[in-house]
Coordinates of all heavy atoms in Angstrom, one line a residue:
M1 N 0.8 -1.2 0.1 CA 0.1 0.1 0.0 C 0.8 1.2 0.0 O 1.9 1.4 0.8 CB -1.0 0.0 1.2 CG -1.9 1.2 1.4 SD -2.8 1.2 2.8 CE -4.4 1.3 2.0
A2 N 0.5 2.2 -0.8 CA 1.4 3.3 -1.0 C 0.7 4.5 -0.2 O -0.5 4.6 0.0 CB 1.4 3.9 -2.4
F3 N 1.6 5.2 0.5 CA 1.2 6.3 1.4 C 1.6 7.7 0.9 O 2.6 7.8 0.2 CB 1.7 6.2 2.8 CG 1.2 5.0 3.5 CD1 1.9 3.9 3.6 CD2 -0.1 5.1 4.2 CE1 1.4 2.7 4.2 CE2 -0.6 4.1 4.9 CZ 0.1 2.7 5.0
L4 N 0.8 8.7 0.9 CA 1.1 10.0 0.4 C 2.2 10.6 1.5 O 2.2 10.4 2.7 CB 0.0 10.9 0.5 CG -1.1 10.6 -0.4 CD1 -2.4 11.5 -0.3 CD2 -0.5 10.7 -1.9
P5 N 3.1 11.4 1.0 CA 4.2 12.0 1.8 C 3.4 13.0 2.7 O 2.2 13.3 2.5 CB 5.0 12.8 0.8 CG 4.5 12.7 -0.6 CD 3.3 11.7 -0.6
E6 N 4.2 13.3 3.8 CA 3.7 14.1 5.0 C 3.1 15.4 4.3 O 2.0 16.0 4.7 CB 4.6 14.5 6.0 CG 4.2 15.1 7.2 CD 5.2 15.2 8.2 OE1 6.0 14.1 8.4 OE2 5.3 16.3 8.8
T7 N 3.8 16.1 3.3 CA 3.3 17.2 2.6 C 2.4 16.8 1.5 O 2.8 16.9 0.3 CB 4.4 18.2 2.2 OG1 5.2 17.5 1.4 CG2 5.1 18.8 3.5
S8 N 1.4 16.2 1.7 CA 0.6 15.5 0.5 C -0.2 16.6 -0.3 O -0.4 17.8 0.1 CB -0.4 14.5 1.2 OG -1.5 15.2 1.7
L9 N -0.4 16.0 -1.5 CA -1.2 16.9 -2.4 C -2.6 17.2 -1.9 O -3.1 18.3 -2.3 CB -1.3 16.2 -3.8 CG 0.0 16.1 -4.7 CD1 -0.3 15.3 -5.9 CD2 0.6 17.5 -5.0
T10 N -3.1 16.4 -1.1 CA -4.5 16.6 -0.6 C -4.6 17.7 0.1 O -5.7 18.3 0.3 CB -5.0 15.3 0.0 OG1 -4.0 14.9 1.1 CG2 -5.2 14.0 -0.8
S11 N -3.5 18.2 0.9 CA -3.6 19.4 1.7 C -3.7 20.6 0.8 O -4.2 21.6 1.3 CB -2.5 19.5 2.7 OG -1.3 19.5 2.0
A12 N -3.2 20.6 -0.4 CA -3.1 21.8 -1.2 C -4.2 21.8 -2.4 O -4.6 22.8 -2.9 CB -1.8 22.0 -1.9
L13 N -4.7 20.6 -2.5 CA -5.8 20.4 -3.6 C -7.2 20.9 -2.9 O -7.5 20.5 -1.8 CB -5.9 19.0 -3.9 CG -6.8 18.5 -5.1 CD1 -6.1 19.1 -6.3 CD2 -6.9 17.0 -5.1
H14 N -7.9 21.7 -3.8 CA -9.2 22.0 -3.4 C -10.2 21.9 -4.5 O -9.9 22.0 -5.7 CB -9.4 23.4 -2.7 CG -9.2 24.5 -3.7 ND1 -8.0 25.0 -4.1 CD2 -10.1 25.2 -4.2 CE1 -8.2 26.0 -4.9 NE2 -9.4 26.2 -5.0
I15 N -11.5 21.6 -4.2 CA -12.5 21.3 -5.1 C -13.5 22.4 -5.2 O -13.9 23.0 -4.0 CB -13.3 20.0 -4.9 CG1 -12.3 18.9 -4.6 CG2 -14.4 19.7 -5.9 CD1 -11.6 18.4 -5.8
E16 N -14.0 22.9 -6.3 CA -15.0 24.0 -6.3 C -15.8 23.8 -7.6 O -15.4 23.1 -8.5 CB -14.4 25.3 -6.3 CG -13.5 25.8 -7.4 CD -12.7 27.0 -7.2 OE1 -12.0 27.3 -6.2 OE2 -13.2 28.0 -8.0
P17 N -17.2 24.3 -7.6 CA -17.9 24.2 -8.7 C -17.3 25.1 -9.8 O -16.6 26.1 -9.6 CB -19.2 24.9 -8.3 CG -19.2 25.0 -6.7 CD -17.7 25.1 -6.4
L18 N -17.7 24.6 -11.1 CA -17.1 25.4 -12.2 C -18.3 25.8 -12.9 O -19.4 25.2 -13.1 CB -16.3 24.4 -13.1 CG -15.0 23.8 -12.6 CD1 -14.4 22.8 -13.5 CD2 -14.1 24.9 -12.2
D19 N -18.3 26.9 -13.6 CA -19.4 27.4 -14.5 C -18.8 27.4 -15.9 O -18.3 28.2 -16.6 CB -19.6 29.0 -14.2 CG -20.7 29.5 -14.9 OD1 -21.3 28.8 -15.7 OD2 -21.0 30.8 -14.9
Q20 N -19.3 26.2 -16.5 CA -18.9 25.8 -17.8 C -19.6 26.7 -18.8 O -19.2 26.7 -20.0 CB -19.1 24.4 -18.1 CG -20.5 24.0 -18.5 CD -21.4 23.9 -17.3 OE1 -21.0 24.0 -16.2 NE2 -22.6 23.6 -17.7
R21 N -20.5 27.5 -18.3 CA -21.2 28.4 -19.4 C -20.3 29.5 -19.8 O -20.5 30.1 -20.8 CB -22.5 29.0 -18.8 CG -23.6 27.8 -18.5 CD -24.6 28.4 -17.7 NE -24.1 28.7 -16.4 CZ -24.8 29.2 -15.4 NH1 -26.1 29.5 -15.5 NH2 -24.2 29.4 -14.1
D22 N -19.3 29.8 -19.0 CA -18.2 30.7 -19.4 C -17.2 30.0 -20.4 O -16.7 28.9 -19.9 CB -17.5 31.1 -18.1 CG -16.3 32.1 -18.5 OD1 -15.8 32.2 -19.5 OD2 -16.0 32.8 -17.4
L23 N -17.0 30.4 -21.7 CA -16.2 29.8 -22.6 C -14.8 29.5 -22.1 O -14.3 28.6 -22.4 CB -16.5 30.3 -23.9 CG -15.7 29.6 -25.1 CD1 -16.3 28.2 -25.3 CD2 -15.9 30.5 -26.4
S24 N -14.3 30.4 -21.5 CA -12.9 30.3 -21.0 C -12.8 29.1 -20.1 O -11.8 28.3 -20.0 CB -12.4 31.6 -20.4 OG -13.0 31.9 -19.3
V25 N -13.8 28.9 -19.2 CA -13.8 27.9 -18.3 C -14.1 26.5 -19.1 O -13.4 25.5 -18.9 CB -14.9 28.1 -17.2 CG1 -15.2 26.7 -16.3 CG2 -14.7 29.2 -16.4
A26 N -14.9 26.6 -20.0 CA -15.2 25.3 -20.8 C -13.9 24.9 -21.5 O -13.6 23.7 -21.7 CB -16.4 25.6 -21.8
R27 N -13.1 26.0 -22.0 CA -11.9 25.6 -22.6 C -10.9 25.0 -21.6 O -10.1 24.1 -22.1 CB -11.4 26.8 -23.2 CG -12.1 27.3 -24.6 CD -11.4 28.4 -25.2 NE -12.3 28.8 -26.5 CZ -12.5 30.0 -26.8 NH1 -12.2 31.1 -26.0 NH2 -13.1 30.2 -27.9
R28 N -10.8 25.5 -20.5 CA -10.0 24.9 -19.5 C -10.3 23.4 -19.2 O -9.5 22.5 -19.0 CB -10.0 25.8 -18.2 CG -9.3 27.2 -18.4 CD -9.4 28.0 -17.2 NE -8.7 27.6 -16.1 CZ -8.9 28.0 -14.9 NH1 -9.7 29.0 -14.7 NH2 -8.3 27.6 -13.8
I29 N -11.6 23.2 -18.9 CA -12.2 21.8 -18.8 C -11.7 20.9 -20.0 O -11.2 19.8 -19.8 CB -13.6 21.8 -18.7 CG1 -14.1 22.5 -17.4 CG2 -14.2 20.5 -18.6 CD1 -15.6 22.7 -17.2
H30 N -11.9 21.5 -21.2 CA -11.6 20.7 -22.5 C -10.0 20.4 -22.5 O -9.6 19.3 -22.8 CB -11.8 21.4 -23.7 CG -11.7 20.7 -24.9 ND1 -10.6 20.8 -25.7 CD2 -12.5 19.8 -25.5 CE1 -10.7 20.1 -26.6 NE2 -11.9 19.4 -26.6
A31 N -9.2 21.3 -22.0 CA -7.7 21.1 -22.0 C -7.5 20.0 -21.0 O -6.6 19.2 -21.2 CB -7.1 22.4 -21.5
V32 N -8.1 19.9 -19.8 CA -7.8 18.9 -18.9 C -8.3 17.5 -19.4 O -7.6 16.6 -19.3 CB -8.6 19.2 -17.5 CG1 -8.6 17.9 -16.6 CG2 -7.9 20.4 -16.9
L33 N -9.4 17.5 -20.2 CA -9.8 16.3 -20.9 C -8.8 15.8 -21.8 O -8.5 14.6 -22.0 CB -11.2 16.6 -21.4 CG -12.4 16.7 -20.6 CD1 -13.6 17.0 -21.3 CD2 -12.6 15.4 -19.7
R34 N -8.3 16.8 -22.7 CA -7.3 16.4 -23.7 C -6.0 15.7 -22.9 O -5.6 14.7 -23.4 CB -6.9 17.6 -24.4 CG -7.6 18.0 -25.6 CD -7.1 19.0 -26.6 NE -5.8 19.6 -26.2 CZ -5.8 20.9 -25.8 NH1 -6.8 21.6 -25.7 NH2 -4.6 21.4 -25.4
L35 N -5.6 16.3 -21.9 CA -4.5 15.7 -21.2 C -4.7 14.4 -20.6 O -4.0 13.4 -20.7 CB -4.0 16.8 -20.1 CG -3.3 18.0 -20.5 CD1 -3.1 19.0 -19.4 CD2 -2.0 17.8 -21.3
A36 N -6.0 14.2 -20.0 CA -6.3 13.0 -19.5 C -6.5 11.9 -20.6 O -6.0 10.8 -20.3 CB -7.7 13.1 -18.7
H37 N -6.9 12.3 -21.6 CA -7.0 11.2 -22.8 C -5.6 10.9 -23.3 O -5.4 9.8 -23.6 CB -7.8 11.9 -24.0 CG -9.3 11.6 -23.9 ND1 -10.1 10.7 -24.5 CD2 -10.2 12.4 -23.2 CE1 -11.4 10.8 -24.1 NE2 -11.4 11.9 -23.3
A38 N -4.7 11.9 -23.3 CA -3.4 11.5 -23.8 C -2.7 10.7 -22.7 O -1.9 9.8 -23.2 CB -2.6 12.8 -24.0
Q39 N -2.9 10.9 -21.5 CA -2.3 10.1 -20.5 C -2.7 8.7 -20.6 O -2.1 7.7 -20.5 CB -2.6 10.7 -19.2 CG -1.9 9.9 -18.0 CD -2.1 10.6 -16.6 OE1 -3.1 11.0 -16.5 NE2 -1.1 10.5 -15.8
E40 N -4.1 8.5 -20.7 CA -4.9 7.2 -20.9 C -4.2 6.5 -22.1 O -3.9 5.3 -21.9 CB -6.3 7.4 -20.9 CG -7.0 6.1 -20.9 CD -8.5 6.2 -21.1 OE1 -8.9 7.3 -21.6 OE2 -9.2 5.4 -20.5
A41 N -4.2 7.2 -23.2 CA -3.6 6.5 -24.4 C -2.1 6.1 -24.2 O -1.9 4.9 -24.7 CB -3.6 7.6 -25.6
A42 N -1.3 6.8 -23.5 CA 0.1 6.4 -23.3 C 0.1 5.2 -22.4 O 0.9 4.3 -22.6 CB 0.9 7.5 -22.7
L43 N -0.8 5.2 -21.3 CA -0.7 4.0 -20.3 C -1.3 2.7 -21.1 O -0.8 1.7 -20.7 CB -1.7 4.4 -19.2 CG -1.2 5.4 -18.2 CD1 -2.2 5.9 -17.2 CD2 0.1 4.8 -17.5
L44 N -2.2 2.9 -21.9 CA -2.8 1.8 -22.8 C -2.0 1.5 -23.9 O -2.3 0.5 -24.6 CB -4.2 2.0 -23.2 CG -5.2 2.1 -22.0 CD1 -6.5 2.7 -22.5 CD2 -5.3 0.9 -21.2
Q45 N -0.9 2.2 -24.1 CA 0.0 2.0 -25.4 C -0.8 2.1 -26.7 O -0.5 1.4 -27.6 CB 0.9 0.8 -25.2 CG 1.6 0.9 -24.0 CD 2.5 -0.4 -23.8 OE1 2.3 -1.4 -24.4 NE2 3.5 -0.3 -23.0
V46 N -1.7 3.1 -26.8 CA -2.6 3.4 -27.9 C -1.9 4.3 -28.8 O -1.4 5.3 -28.4 CB -4.0 3.7 -27.6 CG1 -4.8 4.2 -28.8 CG2 -4.7 2.8 -26.7
K47 N -1.6 4.0 -30.1 CA -0.8 4.9 -31.0 C -1.7 6.0 -31.6 O -1.1 7.2 -31.7 CB -0.2 4.1 -32.1 CG 0.9 3.1 -31.5 CD 1.5 2.4 -32.8 CE 2.5 1.4 -32.2 NZ 3.3 0.8 -33.2
H48 N -2.9 5.9 -31.8 CA -3.8 7.0 -32.4 C -4.8 7.3 -31.4 O -5.9 6.9 -31.4 CB -4.4 6.4 -33.6 CG -3.4 6.0 -34.7 ND1 -2.5 6.9 -35.3 CD2 -3.0 4.8 -35.2 CE1 -1.7 6.3 -36.1 NE2 -1.9 5.0 -36.0
E49 N -4.5 8.3 -30.5 CA -5.3 8.8 -29.5 C -6.3 9.7 -30.1 O -6.0 10.6 -30.8 CB -4.5 9.5 -28.3 CG -5.2 10.0 -27.2 CD -5.4 11.5 -27.3 OE1 -4.5 12.2 -27.8 OE2 -6.5 12.0 -26.9
R50 N -7.6 9.6 -29.8 CA -8.6 10.3 -30.4 C -9.0 11.7 -29.7 O -9.3 12.7 -30.3 CB -10.0 9.5 -30.3 CG -10.1 8.4 -31.4 CD -11.6 7.9 -31.4 NE -12.4 8.6 -30.5 CZ -13.5 8.1 -29.7 NH1 -13.4 6.8 -29.8 NH2 -14.2 8.8 -29.2
G51 N -8.7 11.7 -28.5 CA -9.0 13.0 -27.8 C -10.4 12.9 -27.3 O -11.2 12.1 -27.5
P52 N -10.7 14.0 -26.6 CA -12.2 14.0 -25.9 C -13.2 14.2 -27.1 O -12.9 14.8 -28.1 CB -12.1 15.3 -25.0 CG -10.9 16.0 -25.4 CD -10.0 15.1 -26.1
A53 N -14.4 13.6 -26.9 CA -15.4 13.7 -27.9 C -16.1 15.1 -27.8 O -16.7 15.5 -28.8 CB -16.4 12.6 -27.6
Q54 N -16.0 15.6 -26.7 CA -16.7 17.0 -26.6 C -15.8 18.1 -26.9 O -14.7 18.2 -26.6 CB -17.2 17.3 -25.2 CG -18.4 16.4 -24.7 CD -19.0 16.8 -23.3 OE1 -18.1 16.9 -22.4 NE2 -20.1 17.2 -23.3
T55 N -16.4 19.1 -27.6 CA -15.8 20.3 -27.9 C -16.0 21.3 -26.8 O -16.8 21.2 -25.9 CB -16.3 21.1 -29.1 OG1 -17.6 21.4 -28.9 CG2 -16.2 20.1 -30.4
P56 N -15.1 22.4 -26.6 CA -15.4 23.3 -25.6 C -16.7 24.0 -25.7 O -17.4 24.3 -24.6 CB -14.3 24.4 -25.8 CG -13.1 23.7 -26.5 CD -13.9 22.6 -27.3
E57 N -17.2 24.1 -26.9 CA -18.6 24.8 -27.1 C -19.7 23.7 -26.6 O -20.7 24.2 -26.0 CB -18.8 25.0 -28.5 CG -18.0 26.2 -29.0 CD -16.5 25.9 -29.3 OE1 -16.2 24.6 -29.4 OE2 -15.6 26.8 -29.4
A58 N -19.5 22.5 -26.8 CA -20.4 21.4 -26.3 C -20.3 21.4 -24.8 O -21.4 21.2 -24.2 CB -20.2 20.0 -26.8
I59 N -19.1 21.5 -24.2 CA -19.0 21.6 -22.7 C -19.8 22.8 -22.2 O -20.6 22.7 -21.2 CB -17.5 21.6 -22.3 CG1 -16.9 20.3 -22.6 CG2 -17.5 21.9 -20.8 CD1 -15.4 20.2 -22.5
Q60 N -19.6 23.9 -22.9 CA -20.3 25.2 -22.5 C -21.7 25.1 -22.6 O -22.5 25.6 -21.6 CB -19.9 26.3 -23.4 CG -20.5 27.7 -23.1 CD -20.0 28.7 -24.2 OE1 -19.9 28.4 -25.3 NE2 -20.0 29.9 -23.7
A61 N -22.4 24.4 -23.5 CA -23.8 24.3 -23.7 C -24.3 23.1 -22.8 O -25.6 23.0 -22.7 CB -24.1 24.0 -25.2
S62 N -23.5 22.4 -22.2 CA -24.0 21.2 -21.4 C -24.8 21.6 -20.2 O -24.6 22.7 -19.7 CB -22.9 20.5 -20.9 OG -23.1 19.5 -19.9
M63 N -25.8 20.8 -19.8 CA -26.6 21.0 -18.6 C -26.0 20.3 -17.4 O -26.6 20.2 -16.4 CB -28.0 20.5 -19.0 CG -28.8 21.3 -20.0 SD -28.8 23.1 -19.7 CE -29.9 23.2 -18.3
E64 N -24.8 19.7 -17.6 CA -24.2 19.0 -16.4 C -23.6 19.9 -15.5 O -23.5 21.2 -15.7 CB -23.0 18.1 -17.1 CG -23.4 17.1 -18.0 CD -22.3 16.2 -18.7 OE1 -21.2 16.1 -18.0 OE2 -22.5 15.7 -19.7
I65 N -23.4 19.5 -14.3 CA -22.8 20.2 -13.2 C -21.2 19.8 -13.1 O -21.0 18.6 -13.0 CB -23.5 19.8 -11.8 CG1 -24.9 20.2 -11.9 CG2 -22.7 20.5 -10.7 CD1 -25.7 19.8 -10.8
Y66 N -20.5 20.8 -13.2 CA -18.9 20.4 -13.2 C -18.4 20.9 -11.9 O -18.7 22.0 -11.4 CB -18.3 21.2 -14.4 CG -18.5 20.6 -15.6 CD1 -19.6 20.8 -16.4 CD2 -17.5 19.8 -16.1 CE1 -19.9 20.3 -17.7 CE2 -17.8 19.1 -17.4 CZ -18.8 19.5 -18.2 OH -19.1 18.8 -19.3
L67 N -17.5 20.0 -11.4 CA -16.6 20.4 -10.2 C -15.3 20.4 -10.7 O -14.8 19.5 -11.5 CB -16.8 19.4 -9.1 CG -18.2 19.2 -8.6 CD1 -18.3 18.2 -7.5 CD2 -18.6 20.5 -7.9
G68 N -14.3 21.2 -10.2 CA -13.1 21.3 -10.7 C -12.1 21.1 -9.5 O -12.5 21.4 -8.3
A69 N -10.9 20.3 -9.6 CA -9.9 20.1 -8.7 C -8.9 21.2 -9.1 O -8.2 21.2 -10.2 CB -9.4 18.7 -8.8
F70 N -8.4 21.9 -8.0 CA -7.4 23.0 -8.3 C -6.2 22.8 -7.4 O -6.3 22.3 -6.3 CB -8.0 24.4 -8.0 CG -9.0 24.9 -8.9 CD1 -10.4 24.5 -8.8 CD2 -8.6 25.7 -9.9 CE1 -11.3 25.0 -9.7 CE2 -9.5 26.2 -10.8 CZ -10.8 25.7 -10.7
L71 N -5.0 22.8 -8.0 CA -3.8 22.7 -7.2 C -2.9 24.1 -7.5 O -2.7 24.3 -8.7 CB -3.0 21.5 -7.7 CG -1.7 21.3 -7.0 CD1 -2.0 21.0 -5.5 CD2 -1.1 19.9 -7.6
D72 N -2.6 24.8 -6.6 CA -1.9 26.0 -6.7 C -2.7 26.9 -7.7 O -1.9 27.6 -8.5 CB -0.5 25.9 -7.0 CG 0.3 25.1 -6.0 OD1 0.0 25.4 -4.7 OD2 1.2 24.3 -6.2
G73 N -3.9 27.1 -7.7 CA -4.7 27.9 -8.4 C -5.0 27.4 -9.9 O -5.5 28.1 -10.7
E74 N -4.4 26.3 -10.3 CA -4.5 25.7 -11.6 C -5.6 24.5 -11.5 O -5.5 23.8 -10.7 CB -3.1 25.2 -12.1 CG -3.2 24.7 -13.5 CD -1.8 24.2 -13.9 OE1 -0.9 24.6 -13.4 OE2 -1.7 23.6 -15.0
L75 N -6.4 24.5 -12.6 CA -7.4 23.3 -12.9 C -6.6 22.1 -13.2 O -5.9 22.1 -14.3 CB -8.4 23.7 -13.8 CG -9.5 22.7 -14.1 CD1 -10.3 22.5 -12.8 CD2 -10.3 23.1 -15.2
V76 N -6.6 21.1 -12.4 CA -5.8 19.9 -12.6 C -6.7 18.6 -12.9 O -6.3 17.6 -13.1 CB -4.8 19.5 -11.6 CG1 -3.7 20.7 -11.5 CG2 -5.5 19.4 -10.2
G77 N -8.0 18.9 -12.7 CA -9.0 17.7 -12.8 C -10.4 18.3 -12.8 O -10.7 19.4 -12.2
S78 N -11.3 17.4 -13.4 CA -12.8 18.0 -13.5 C -13.6 16.6 -13.4 O -13.2 15.6 -13.8 CB -13.0 18.9 -14.4 OG -13.0 18.2 -15.7
V79 N -14.8 16.8 -13.0 CA -15.8 15.8 -13.0 C -17.1 16.5 -13.3 O -17.3 17.6 -12.9 CB -15.8 14.9 -11.6 CG1 -16.4 15.9 -10.5 CG2 -16.8 13.8 -11.7
S80 N -18.0 15.7 -14.1 CA -19.3 16.3 -14.4 C -20.4 15.4 -13.9 O -20.2 14.1 -13.9 CB -19.4 16.6 -15.8 OG -19.5 15.5 -16.6
L81 N -21.6 15.8 -13.5 CA -22.6 15.1 -13.1 C -23.9 15.5 -13.8 O -24.0 16.6 -14.1 CB -22.8 15.3 -11.6 CG -21.8 14.9 -10.7 CD1 -22.0 15.4 -9.2 CD2 -21.5 13.5 -10.5
R82 N -24.6 14.5 -14.1 CA -25.9 14.9 -14.6 C -27.0 13.9 -14.3 O -26.7 12.7 -13.9 CB -25.8 14.8 -16.3 CG -25.4 13.5 -16.9 CD -25.3 13.6 -18.3 NE -24.7 12.5 -18.8 CZ -25.2 11.3 -19.1 NH1 -26.6 11.1 -19.0 NH2 -24.6 10.3 -19.6
P83 N -28.3 14.3 -14.4 CA -29.3 13.3 -14.0 C -29.3 12.1 -14.9 O -29.1 12.3 -16.1 CB -30.7 14.2 -14.2 CG -30.2 15.6 -14.2 CD -28.8 15.6 -14.6
D84 N -29.7 11.0 -14.5 CA -29.7 9.8 -15.2 C -31.1 9.6 -15.6 O -32.1 10.3 -15.2 CB -29.3 8.6 -14.3 CG -29.1 7.3 -15.1 OD1 -28.0 7.1 -15.6 OD2 -30.0 6.6 -15.2
D85 N -31.4 8.7 -16.7 CA -32.8 8.5 -17.0 C -33.6 7.8 -16.0 O -34.8 7.9 -15.9 CB -32.8 7.6 -18.3 CG -32.2 8.2 -19.5 OD1 -32.2 9.4 -19.5 OD2 -31.7 7.6 -20.4
E86 N -32.9 7.1 -15.1 CA -33.6 6.4 -13.9 C -34.0 7.5 -12.8 O -33.0 8.3 -12.5 CB -32.9 5.2 -13.4 CG -32.9 4.2 -14.5 CD -32.0 3.1 -13.8 OE1 -32.2 2.7 -12.7 OE2 -31.2 2.3 -14.6
P87 N -35.0 7.5 -12.2 CA -35.4 8.5 -11.1 C -34.4 8.4 -10.0 O -33.9 7.2 -9.8 CB -36.8 8.0 -10.6 CG -37.4 7.2 -11.8 CD -36.1 6.6 -12.5
E88 N -34.1 9.3 -9.5 CA -33.1 9.6 -8.3 C -31.7 9.0 -8.6 O -31.0 8.7 -7.7 CB -33.8 8.9 -7.1 CG -35.1 9.6 -6.7 CD -35.7 8.9 -5.5 OE1 -35.1 8.3 -4.7 OE2 -37.0 9.1 -5.4
Q89 N -31.3 9.0 -9.8 CA -29.9 8.5 -10.2 C -29.2 9.7 -10.9 O -29.8 10.6 -11.5 CB -30.0 7.4 -11.0 CG -30.8 6.2 -10.5 CD -30.1 5.5 -9.4 OE1 -28.9 5.3 -9.4 NE2 -30.8 5.2 -8.3
I90 N -27.8 9.6 -10.6 CA -26.9 10.5 -11.4 C -26.0 9.8 -12.2 O -25.6 8.7 -11.8 CB -26.4 11.6 -10.5 CG1 -25.5 11.0 -9.3 CG2 -27.4 12.6 -9.9 CD1 -24.7 11.9 -8.6
N91 N -25.4 10.4 -13.2 CA -24.3 9.8 -14.0 C -23.1 10.7 -13.8 O -23.2 11.9 -13.7 CB -24.7 9.9 -15.4 CG -25.1 8.6 -16.0 OD1 -24.7 7.5 -15.3 ND2 -25.7 8.5 -17.0

C-alpha cells in the first residue's frame, strides 16, 4: 500500500464548482480532458489517441454540473454530473 508524503497533495488540492457556461472555463475543462485522454492513451499504449469527444462549445452548452480540482490555482482535474434516465440517479 502506498502512502502520501507528509506534505501531501491533498492538503493543497481543493474542489470547487465550475461555471462551464463561461467559454474560457469550458476551454480549461476541455484542456484537462485532452491531457487525461493523452495520459490514458500512453498508459494503454494506444498509438492513435482520439482525444475528448466534446468540444469546448459542447461543454459550454452542457446542462451537466461540473466540479474542478485545483492545485496552486490551476485546474488539474474535473468531474461532471448529470441526471440519469432512472429516477433519483446521477451519472
Side-chain angles (χ1 to χ4, degrees):
M1 174 180 239
F3 293 94
L4 293 174
E6 193 172 312
T7 57
S8 73
L9 291 177
T10 56
S11 63
L13 190 70
H14 73 277
I15 308 295
E16 63 183 66
L18 299 174
D19 182 6
Q20 83 280 3
R21 295 169 297 180
D22 178 335
L23 185 56
S24 67
V25 173
R27 286 183 177 138
R28 290 172 65 193
I29 293 168
H30 188 262
V32 167
L33 289 173
R34 274 194 352 257
L35 290 172
H37 277 261
Q39 183 179 35
E40 183 179 32
L43 289 170
L44 295 173
Q45 299 177 348
V46 176
K47 293 183 183 194
H48 300 289
E49 182 255 327
R50 284 188 6 220
Q54 288 185 301
T55 64
E57 293 76 17
I59 293 169
Q60 181 186 32
S62 168
M63 297 302 291
E64 296 177 26
I65 296 169
Y66 282 84
L67 299 174
F70 289 85
L71 184 61
D72 296 328
E74 183 178 345
L75 181 65
V76 295
S78 71
V79 64
S80 66
L81 306 167
R82 62 181 165 84
D84 194 82
D85 293 338
E86 295 181 36
E88 300 180 21
Q89 302 292 316
I90 59 172
N91 257 336

